[in-house]
Amino acid sequence: MQKKKSAPSGNKDEFVQFGYHLTIDLYGCPKAPLEDLQLCYDALNTLPEKLGMHKLIPPYMIPAGSNLHTGGKDPGGITGMVIIAESHISIHTFAKRGFISIDVYSCKPFDQAAAVAHFETLFKPTESEVHFLNRGERYPVKDIHD
C-alpha cells in the first residue's frame, strides 16, 4: 500500500533525509559473467571501498535455482548481498535472460556514476536502466523514544 506523501509536520530542522537508493537493471549481458559466482562475489566485495563505504561482513552469495513461486519470471541465477555500515548492496542475476538487478542503498551520499560504471564494466550490458530514490525524507533528527 502506497501512502500519500505529505509535508512533514513541525519545524523542518526536526528532520533529515535518511537514505539514498540506487537501482540498476542491466539487460543483454553475456551469460558467462552472470553465472560466475566469484565475479559476482568480487563485484560486491570491491564496491564498498570504491564508494567510501564499510563492509560489516563479506558478501554472502547464493546460487539459486529456478523459482516456481515467481510465475515463471525466475529461471535461476545468483543472489548476493553485502551488508555495509551504511546499509546494503545486493545483486540478483538471471543468466538465461541476460539480466542482473542491483540495489545500492546507503544512509550517506555516494558516487552513483561510479557504482553504475562498476557493474557495467563487469557485466557488459547492451542496455542499462538506472533509478535513484531519496529515502526517509522525514527521518527525525532526535530520538523519539527512550
Side-chain angles (χ1 to χ4, degrees):
M1 180 163 112
Q2 188 175 18
K3 288 190 172 187
K4 183 178 177 183
K5 185 176 177 179
S6 60
S9 59
N11 185 335
K12 69 176 181 162
D13 296 331
E14 295 178 30
F15 303 101
V16 294
Q17 179 178 323
F18 178 78
Y20 308 86
H21 193 159
L22 177 68
T23 66
I24 308 165
D25 295 316
L26 304 179
Y27 301 92
C29 301
K31 186 177 182 184
L34 297 177
E35 293 180 317
D36 187 332
L37 193 62
Q38 186 64 52
L39 177 74
C40 292
Y41 178 92
D42 291 344
L44 290 177
N45 196 43
T46 59
L47 184 61
E49 185 176 339
K50 287 182 180 183
L51 298 180
M53 297 175 179
H54 307 88
K55 289 182 285 188
L56 295 178
I57 62 168
Y60 188 76
M61 309 303 295
I62 303 168
S66 62
N67 187 336
L68 301 176
H69 304 289
T70 62
K73 283 179 156 178
D74 184 354
I78 296 170
T79 289
M81 176 179 277
V82 61
I83 299 171
I84 54 177
E86 297 79 7
S87 195
H88 72 273
I89 304 168
S90 64
I91 62 172
H92 305 279
T93 74
F94 303 89
K96 292 180 180 178
R97 308 265 170 103
F99 177 73
I100 182 170
S101 180
I102 303 158
D103 289 277
V104 181
Y105 183 38
S106 174
C107 63
K108 72 175 199 173
F110 59 92
D111 186 341
Q112 299 166 39
V116 173
H118 175 77
F119 289 109
E120 287 180 338
T121 299
L122 293 171
F123 295 103
K124 303 183 180 357
T126 58
E127 186 179 349
S128 302
E129 182 180 344
V130 178
H131 298 279
F132 182 77
L133 301 166
N134 291 325
R135 301 284 306 268
E137 293 179 331
R138 295 175 292 171
Y139 183 72
V141 171
K142 296 179 182 174
D143 295 343
I144 61 171
H145 300 288
D146 293 332

